[in-house]
Amino acid sequence: MSGNVQLLSDTLAAARAEGRSALIAYLPAGFPTVDGGIAAIKAVFEGGADVVEVGLPHSDPVLDGPVIQTADDIALRGGVKIADVMRTVREAYEATGKPVLVMTYWNPIDRYGVERFTAELAEAGGAGCILPDLPVQESDLWREHAEKHGLATVFVVAPSSKDTRLAEITAAGSGFVYAASLMGVTGTRESVGAQAQDLVRRTRATTDLPVCVGLGVSGAAQAAEVAGFADGVIVGSAFVKRMLDAPDEAAGLEAVRTLAGELAQGVRGTA
């Protein structure tokens, strides 16, 4: 079975055709439980997310701030496995028909086996992977198997990336480019700022791929700001925080559904 890279591309193109940015949500698998995580992803899709990134919980998530680290720790203590991540992708995709990616650090894939991981992700209906710590120059094996299985390879660019490096990264990627809005780890910020806008401009000069901005967006006003210059708005910590702060799972699901609705209005300029 081939993966859903085309569904991802079509979804981002459809948002652009509507004159808006896509809303991309992030939630870790296995948080608060495997079933609870699947329900949360369905809830953000119901609220208005176009795409969801499923985080593969990691014990040392170098890009992720304290909120996502807390959720990852809960998932890992709950015994989450890669099989649970694949199940999360499968059930979310089958329930919604919308693109679902996995965001993961390289070590779990390397240990699991690249061919096995890509084959299982494609079979589950996954659209691809975001790989924040895989250097482009070491990505040939991954990209070979991802392409064979119809999966996007999304690389991360940062404000510190020089133009020549941006061109190298975007030439190797597919699906979209993940533009980290600032240096540092994930988390909500008061302002996403001009740095992100400049990074999007420089990245677009090297590629026709959509450029989606993450790290720091937490509310509709920020989503609207970023939607003014990016093809997609990526929100993670704000969703996870709503789940962590909720008194019970039902309240958590309602909270993330509501936030997705607010952010969806933001990317449409109707907040």
Side-chain angles (χ1 to χ4, degrees):
M1 177 176 171
S2 182
N4 274 314
V5 62
Q6 191 60 51
L7 175 62
L8 175 64
S9 297
D10 291 348
T11 299
L12 294 171
R16 175 178 283 185
E18 292 175 16
R20 66 174 180 88
S21 284
L23 174 60
I24 303 174
Y26 167 95
L27 284 165
F31 167 72
T33 62
V34 176
D35 288 342
I38 293 167
I41 291 167
K42 292 177 183 176
V44 299
F45 272 134
E46 289 164 5
D50 299 290
V51 179
V52 166
E53 305 171 7
V54 176
L56 195 160
H58 194 277
S59 57
D60 184 27
V62 293
L63 185 70
D64 298 307
V67 170
I68 291 174
Q69 285 186 24
T70 298
D72 277 5
D73 185 55
I74 290 168
L76 290 168
R77 283 192 281 114
V80 71
K81 302 284 193 294
I82 287 180
D84 299 312
V85 177
M86 298 298 178
R87 181 187 150 212
T88 299
V89 171
R90 175 181 290 103
E91 294 196 16
Y93 168 65
E94 288 179 350
T96 64
K98 295 185 177 180
V100 183
L101 300 111
V102 169
M103 185 165 185
T104 179
Y105 298 98
W106 180 244
N107 182 256
I109 295 178
D110 193 37
R111 292 182 60 186
Y112 197 72
V114 175
E115 169 60 23
R116 180 184 177 195
F117 190 94
T118 51
E120 290 184 7
L121 182 56
E123 193 274 329
C129 253
I130 301 163
L131 300 159
D133 66 341
L134 177 63
V136 168
Q137 60 271 26
E138 297 174 21
S139 67
D140 286 356
L141 178 65
W142 164 265
R143 287 189 286 133
E144 174 192 337
H145 287 290
E147 189 171 339
K148 180 172 79 171
H149 289 291
L151 299 169
T153 298
V154 179
F155 288 114
V156 179
V157 297
S160 59
S161 302
K162 300 287 189 283
D163 290 352
T164 52
R165 180 65 174 157
L166 287 176
E168 184 183 2
I169 293 169
T170 59
S174 56
F176 64 91
V177 182
Y178 187 126
S181 65
L182 36 74
M183 303 303 292
V185 297
T186 58
T188 60
R189 303 293 200 285
E190 289 300 312
S191 173
V192 178
Q195 208 173 31
Q197 190 165 357
D198 181 63
L199 176 59
V200 170
R201 179 189 59 76
R202 293 193 299 118
T203 304
R204 280 198 176 134
T206 72
T207 184
D208 291 328
L209 288 173
V211 182
C212 304
V213 170
L215 273 68
V217 178
S218 59
Q222 284 179 317
E225 177 193 352
V226 174
F229 59 82
D231 299 296
V233 180
I234 302 169
V235 181
S237 295
F239 282 113
V240 175
K241 190 171 189 306
R242 293 282 180 106
M243 296 281 288
L244 286 168
D245 290 348
D248 54 50
E249 191 171 310
L253 295 179
E254 187 54 40
V256 295
R257 186 183 291 108
T258 298
L259 178 59
E262 293 166 358
L263 293 165
Q265 287 186 317
V267 300
R268 287 167 172 79
T270 57

